[in-house]
Amino acid sequence: MSTVPPVGPALRRLAVRATAQAADWQPRIRHVVRTHAAPPLRALATPRHATLPGSRQRAERDHAVVSAGATAVLLAGLLLVAAPGSASAQTVLPTTPGSSAFTAPQARVPDPGVVQVAGPSPYKLPDDAASAQAFVAVAPNLLPLDPPAAQPAPGDQPAQQPAAAPAPDWSAPAPDAPTSNPYGVANSEYAAGYHTGVDFAVAPGTPVLAVGDATVVSAGWDGAYGKEVVLRLADGHFAQYAHLSALSVSPGARVSAGQRVGLSGSTGNSTGPHLHFEIRTSNRYGSVVDPIAYLSGHGVTAF
């Protein structure tokens, strides 16, 4: 047994709409009556004995009858269109509510992880309920929303580690050590007649470093030079470290700029601890260039 929905509210809405439509159509209907319906009706109201004899008067009376009938049909159609309850008026009224998704007025915003749906139902709610909210079916969403990832507080940001300094391309043999005897000073005690290298005043056991990427040519004792290391640099020059107290590399080894090759000392023909350092164009005595000028040309400044 089906339940008949209440019609009181619907009738009130139709009455309001009919009143508005009648007010809108009233001037038009009055004009049609004056111009089309009044003359034929007056002709019909004229007594039959007052008409003139002859076929002309009868034709005019018949035309008036037809015009009055047509006007009546037109007015009936207009009233039918404007009248509430007609087919035209009822087409704008809903008949059965469809599915809907809603929440109660002033309710908390629903959880975004669920979907609320309601199926079709009659206008009259079960048990005279005031709201359909109690009859809504709640179902989990097919794709539940993942909670947003927690953002660390500004104070929780890990401190960035400083980037490691790039390896040097060139280095001083004894960084920041003072010079005790420069290159090229004339001295008859030397076979070349002048000082073939530069002496750095360093304490015994001070690490001495490879001035560039190189291969160890020799590492051992060399007469007046005492313990020495000779490196062949990448550009073909040779670097010599003399009067060392200890050796840190072996012949054939590869070394990088800044790598330790030995410890300073006072071995061989030496009057005190220092590092005798030479730059040679070939691996033989006397084929030398100014070591400070050579290293400065490669950007070395720690002298």
Side-chain angles (χ1 to χ4, degrees):
M1 177 177 179
S2 61
T3 302
V4 178
V7 297
L11 289 178
R12 284 196 296 272
R13 288 194 296 270
L14 289 177
V16 172
R17 182 175 299 174
T19 302
Q21 292 178 346
D24 181 60
W25 280 93
Q26 185 175 1
R28 304 180 190 181
I29 294 174
R30 187 181 299 113
H31 175 73
V32 171
V33 170
R34 284 199 307 267
T35 57
H36 296 282
L41 292 176
R42 284 196 299 270
L44 290 175
T46 303
R48 189 174 185 84
H49 61 79
T51 58
L52 297 177
S55 60
R56 180 178 179 183
Q57 287 75 13
R58 287 196 300 271
E60 290 179 354
R61 180 179 179 83
D62 293 341
H63 178 71
V65 171
V66 173
S67 299
T71 302
V73 171
L74 175 62
L75 292 175
L78 293 175
L79 292 175
L80 179 62
V81 171
S86 65
S88 298
Q90 288 183 356
T91 55
V92 300
L93 299 178
T95 58
T96 302
S99 299
S100 61
F102 57 89
T103 59
Q106 299 180 353
R108 179 179 61 85
V109 176
D111 186 346
V114 299
V115 175
Q116 294 181 321
V117 296
S121 61
Y123 283 104
K124 181 176 176 60
L125 297 174
D127 301 326
D128 295 328
S131 171
Q133 184 67 28
F135 309 100
V136 172
V138 180
N141 196 356
L142 296 178
L143 296 175
L145 298 177
D146 294 330
Q151 299 295 329
D156 297 338
Q157 294 289 346
Q160 294 184 352
Q161 298 296 329
D169 294 329
W170 295 87
S171 173
D176 300 321
T179 300
S180 58
N181 190 10
Y183 167 80
V185 176
N187 191 328
S188 59
E189 294 184 1
Y190 298 129
Y194 62 93
H195 192 211
T196 55
V198 59
D199 291 343
F200 294 100
V202 291
T206 301
V208 295
L209 312 178
V211 294
D213 297 342
T215 301
V216 179
V217 175
S218 61
W221 186 267
D222 189 18
Y225 287 110
K227 291 181 179 181
E228 73 167 2
V229 171
V230 177
L231 306 179
R232 189 180 190 278
L233 300 171
D235 65 355
H237 285 74
F238 293 84
Q240 182 204 34
Y241 304 77
H243 310 303
L244 303 180
S245 61
L247 307 176
S248 303
V249 293
S250 301
R254 294 283 302 173
V255 295
S256 301
Q259 181 177 337
R260 188 178 74 178
V261 296
L263 301 178
S264 65
S266 187
T267 58
N269 188 8
S270 173
T271 58
H274 69 283
L275 168 65
H276 176 83
F277 178 76
E278 295 183 8
I279 291 292
R280 299 177 176 181
T281 57
S282 63
N283 192 19
R284 62 184 180 87
Y285 177 78
S287 57
V288 293
V289 296
D290 184 349
I292 301 300
Y294 173 82
L295 293 176
S296 296
H298 289 286
V300 178
T301 56
F303 302 116

